Amino acid sequence: MTEQATTDTTEGTTEGTQEVHDVNTLPEWARDKLTKANTEAAKYRTRAKEAASSVRAEVEAEFADKLAEATKAQDALVSEREAVKLEGVKLRAAFGALIGDPDKAKETLSRAEEFAGLIQGSTVDEIGEHAAKLAGLFGTSTTRAPAVDRSPEGGDTALALNGDPLLQSLKSALGI
């Protein structure tokens, strides 16, 4: 008998949910409860929306100043970067104009950039000291070294026709 009652109840529930599509077919007490539940649910939805709007406004107000400050700092960094980039372009152009020979300017600039890449330090003073130390190690002399006669020893004593050894031998012979 319990099996039959369970089956009947299940079938009745299934049929009942399928047939009840219109609220007007429900009894008065069921319609009142449904209306009351819907009104209460609407009240809670309204409260939830108001609470979310309130919290959103508070959070936006709290972080608006921080966002504006971060945006201002970012803009300052971007403009500083652009100024440094422009200064580098100007220095390269001035360097090329001062040397005159474009090929020689490119070579010298390439060597200078390579040298600058070796310099270490995080402050202006540290960078200056390290650059001076590196310059001392590698030498920064722009004067040319005198030419050396590389003829084999003991045999040929002829001097090269170009270079400082020839000039010095002429000066010593003439007493200059």
Side-chain angles (χ1 to χ4, degrees):
M1 188 158 185
T2 53
E3 290 179 20
Q4 189 178 11
T6 308
T7 308
D8 291 340
T9 307
T10 308
E11 288 175 4
T13 306
T14 308
E15 290 174 6
T17 53
Q18 290 176 353
E19 291 178 13
V20 178
H21 290 289
D22 191 12
V23 176
N24 296 330
T25 60
L26 294 174
E28 181 78 23
W29 63 269
R31 280 185 276 164
D32 288 342
K33 281 191 170 188
L34 187 59
T35 303
K36 184 178 178 182
N38 285 342
T39 305
E40 191 173 339
K43 181 176 69 173
Y44 288 131
R45 282 193 305 270
T46 305
R47 282 186 189 170
K49 286 180 182 177
E50 289 173 356
S53 297
S54 173
V55 168
R56 176 173 285 172
E58 287 177 21
V59 169
E60 285 177 355
E62 181 181 338
F63 289 105
D65 293 337
K66 292 179 181 179
L67 179 63
E69 186 178 312
T71 303
K72 186 178 178 181
Q74 180 185 10
D75 291 343
L77 287 173
V78 167
S79 64
E80 183 180 339
R81 183 191 67 178
E82 292 300 321
V84 167
K85 199 173 179 182
L86 183 62
E87 184 178 337
V89 170
K90 287 179 181 179
L91 286 173
R92 283 184 178 85
F95 191 76
L98 288 174
I99 290 188
D101 182 15
D103 293 332
K104 188 174 180 183
K106 284 181 184 178
E107 179 186 334
T108 307
L109 183 60
S110 174
R111 292 179 63 211
E113 287 174 341
E114 185 176 352
F115 180 75
L118 297 174
I119 298 172
Q120 297 176 355
S122 58
T123 64
V124 174
D125 293 336
E126 289 176 359
I127 290 171
E129 289 173 10
H130 197 253
K133 184 177 178 181
L134 286 175
L137 289 174
F138 294 116
T140 57
S141 174
T142 57
T143 60
R144 299 177 86 180
V148 177
D149 182 17
R150 304 234 185 256
S151 59
E153 292 182 345
D156 189 12
T157 58
L159 294 175
L161 296 176
N162 59 355
D164 288 339
L166 179 63
L167 182 63
Q168 287 179 357
S169 66
L170 286 173
K171 283 183 181 179
S172 65
L174 295 175
I176 303 177

